Structures are given as C-alpha cells and as structure tokens.
Amino acid sequence: MRIDEILKHKRTLSFEVFPPKKGGEGKEKLLATIDELAGLRPDFISVTYGAGGSNSKNTVEIADYIQNSAHVNALAHITGGPSSPETVDGLARTLKERGIENVLCLRGDKPVGYEAEYCKYFAHATDLAEYLTPYHFTLGAACYPEGHVECASLYADLINMKKKEECGATFFITQLFYDNTYYYRLVNEARRIGIVSPIIPGIMPLVNPKNIRRIKEMCGSAIPLNFRNMIEIYAEHPAVMEEIGLNYAVYQIIDLIAMGAPGVHLYVMNNANTARAVCSRLEKVFDELF
Ligand code: FAD
C-alpha cells in the first residue's frame, strides 16, 4: 500500500533497517529481525541504500522480503549520488516487478574527495525524484530539523525541502533528533512556506554511549544537556544506559504524538530488541492513537 495513502487515514509506525555488508549469516540474521519487526505490526519498514551504491542489489532483495515474505509495506531507499540513470532504471523496474510501491529519494553522503564524480547524474534528491516520475512510485524524501550539515542556512534548507515536494515527494522522514523543539520548528516553518506533506519524525533510541560522538559527527544532532549528563554519568553501566535511552525515546514519542506528529519512524539499527522494548512501553499509545 502507498504510504501517503496510509498517512491520510492514520498515524504510521515504521522501522528502518540496513542491509548487511556481506550476504550469508548477516542476511539470514536480518531476515529473522524483519520477521520479528513485522510482529510489532508496523505500517512500513524502510531499507537503506549504501551511499556508495554497491549494495543496491541487497536493498532490493531486502525490500522484496519485507513486502512479499514479511507482508509489510516496504519503503526502498535509493541514493542518486552514486547512481547512473541505467542503475536507477534497473532498480525501479525490479522494484515495480516485486510490487514495491514506495521509494525514499535521497542523494547520499558525498564521499570525501569524490564529490564531483559522486553526483554526476543526480546532484540532489530532487533530480532523482523527477527522474522517477514515470514509474509512479509513492516518493518520500529526507528532511533535517537542525538543518542539513552542508546547507548555508535553515531557511535555504527549507526551500530545498519544498523543492522535494514540488518534484514529487508526498511525505518526509526526518533526520534523527533528540530535542523535539527542532522538529516543531521545522514543521511550523515548513507549513509557513507552503509544504503540505506529512513530516514523520525519525527517532533513534540512544542505548549505547559510544554512539554519542558518532551522532554529532554524522548528523549534527544536538543532545540536550540533561540527557547528555545522564548518559555520561551512567556510561559505565550499559544496562542502566539502555533503560535511559529507551525511556528518553518513549518520552520523545509521547510528546511528539501529543503535539500532532503523523507517526514515528524508529531507527532501530537492525535491533529488534530495541523496537520491541519501545513498542511494549508504548503499547497503549500505538493501539489507541495509531
Ligand atoms: P539533498 O536533498 O540533495 O540535500 C543535500 C543538500 O543539498 C542539502 O544541504 C540541501 O539543502 C541541498 N539541496 C537539496 N535539494 C537541492 C536543490 N534542488 N538545489 C540545490 N540544493 C539542494 N544515506 C544513504 O547513503 N543511504 C540511505 O539509505 C539513507 N537514508 C536516509 C534516510 C533518512 C530518513 C535521512 C534523513 C537520511 C538518510 N541518508 C541516507 C542520509 C542522506 O543521504 C544524507 O543526509 C545526504 O547528505 C543528503 O541526502 P538528501 O537526500 O537530503 O540530499
């Protein structure tokens, strides 16, 4: 089913997984994880696409499994940066053949030193979205509550977000964030400049203190001081840290739903336990409000 159609009728719960680098055991493990995630009754599961484009086959295979074996709507990510039109055509045709209707259009993170070659055919997600128009997918795109790291200003980033909608995106998923006020600001500003599509907040339960620095470096997401303090104090107590991270995510989600968010997208890092822990803490919220 088309995600934009689902969003017209209800809030969505979704999970994101990434294909294993190598096949074999990693793949089997991921398929088992997808089965577990399917048991939590998400509206869709998204599967990432490597910025280098090398695992595009894996993305399609995993999306196929989500759609046709786990029987959950699949959202296949495609990054235009490393892709040629031929690659995109091949991917689009295969996704169509497998009955996959939803694609998240992305550019991908430019590898340092290869910027020019990287975006040879699709400079931005907007170019990819336009190129995919004849395939009639439901297209989603990424957006950034704290601004994209390369963008000169938040306003310029918002204008580019609007271009994504004009090029065919009918829903957005945000970069992960830990301070909901950035999400509320993004939604307010987006509506003010005429963006009408649902903006699904992306939440990543921070259950491992080692990820703090990575998060700041990779996505520029700020971690509020009180949360950061808790993480630092309990960094040597993994079980306590896990509780803190899960409860913080739960708090964020309840606040987002109370403020009218159209759903929640959980970056679960292929960890079904994290997804299950969040879902069990929020069982009534998901049962009654989604
Ligand atoms: P763009 O939309 O091209 O934006 C990149 C920069 O260009 C921004 O600063 C933007 O303001 C600007 N810009 C956008 N459009 C235009 C335009 N038309 N003209 C001029 N400037 C413009 N990466 C992966 O490699 N694989 C994944 O599967 C993946 N999944 C993701 C899922 C989500 C929900 C999110 C939020 C991110 C994901 N990423 C993924 C990371 C993403 O690829 C990076 O954040 C990348 O740096 C930007 O991708 P984008 O699609 O937002 O690019």
Side-chain angles (χ1 to χ4, degrees):
M1 197 174 172
R2 293 181 174 265
I3 292 169
D4 54 357
E5 283 301 318
I6 304 174
L7 282 160
K8 283 181 192 158
H9 305 290
K10 69 183 287 292
R11 288 197 167 101
T12 54
L13 167 65
S14 51
F15 304 122
E16 181 166 309
V17 298
F18 55 88
K21 284 214 169 62
K22 292 190 190 116
E25 211 180 292
K27 190 172 161 202
E28 289 308 311
K29 208 170 152 206
L30 177 59
L31 301 187
T33 299
I34 291 170
D35 289 339
E36 284 189 57
L37 294 175
L40 300 170
R41 294 184 289 124
D43 295 285
F44 63 94
I45 298 179
S46 84
V47 52
T48 66
Y49 186 98
S54 55
N55 68 352
S56 62
K57 204 167 140 264
N58 286 345
T59 301
V60 174
E61 278 181 23
I62 303 297
D64 185 15
Y65 186 86
I66 293 168
Q67 186 77 38
N68 298 309
S69 299
H71 304 293
V72 176
N73 295 300
L75 170 62
H77 298 200
I78 302 182
T79 54
S83 309
S84 66
E86 293 73 33
T87 311
V88 172
D89 284 325
L91 278 167
R93 276 196 295 267
T94 315
L95 290 172
K96 280 273 153 183
E97 280 161 19
R98 314 271 174 102
I100 294 155
E101 298 174 286
N102 304 292
V103 168
L104 194 71
C105 281
L106 299 147
R107 185 201 67 190
D109 278 320
K110 293 183 182 181
V112 181
Y114 294 92
E115 283 88 348
E117 297 129 77
Y118 187 70
C119 291
K120 191 167 166 199
Y121 299 103
F122 302 102
H124 290 290
T126 43
D127 302 301
L128 179 63
E130 273 185 331
Y131 190 80
L132 285 170
T133 309
Y135 290 99
H136 303 289
F137 287 111
T138 285
L139 300 179
C143 64
Y144 302 86
E146 294 165 73
H148 182 260
V149 284
E150 288 164 31
C151 210
S153 72
L154 278 174
Y155 185 70
D157 207 28
L158 266 172
I159 296 297
N160 291 329
M161 182 178 169
K162 188 151 194 275
K163 285 186 200 156
K164 295 187 192 191
E165 188 173 69
E166 288 160 359
C167 290
T170 52
F171 68 96
F172 290 94
I173 302 180
T174 75
Q175 180 61 281
L176 56 91
F177 58 88
Y178 293 95
D179 181 341
N180 289 358
T181 56
Y182 292 118
Y183 171 80
Y184 302 136
R185 177 182 66 183
L186 174 80
V187 174
N188 282 340
E189 292 301 305
R191 301 302 175 229
R192 214 166 52 82
I193 66 161
I195 297 169
V196 295
S197 302
I199 301 171
I200 304 173
I203 298 295
M204 188 169 104
L206 188 47
V207 290
N208 184 344
K210 286 194 194 122
N211 286 338
I212 298 178
R213 193 173 303 137
R214 268 187 71 215
I215 283 166
K216 185 74 193 151
E217 279 164 9
M218 284 172 57
C219 358
S221 307
I223 299 181
L225 189 62
N226 62 343
F227 185 35
R228 176 178 284 272
N229 282 342
M230 285 187 247
I231 294 166
E232 283 173 4
I233 290 166
Y234 297 108
E236 304 304 320
H237 300 266
V240 177
M241 178 58 220
E242 197 178 322
E243 281 294 303
I244 292 170
L246 288 170
N247 284 320
Y248 191 82
V250 163
Y251 156 75
Q252 277 192 283
I253 294 168
I254 292 174
D255 185 58
L256 288 161
I257 298 310
M259 294 294 280
V264 63
H265 184 69
L266 285 178
Y267 294 102
V268 293
M269 309 303 286
N270 291 5
N271 187 339
N273 292 340
T274 304
R276 204 177 313 102
V278 171
C279 288
S280 71
R281 283 165 165 81
L282 286 169
E283 199 181 342
K284 297 282 181 294
V285 173
F286 291 141
D287 278 355
E288 292 184 25
L289 305 177
F290 276 60

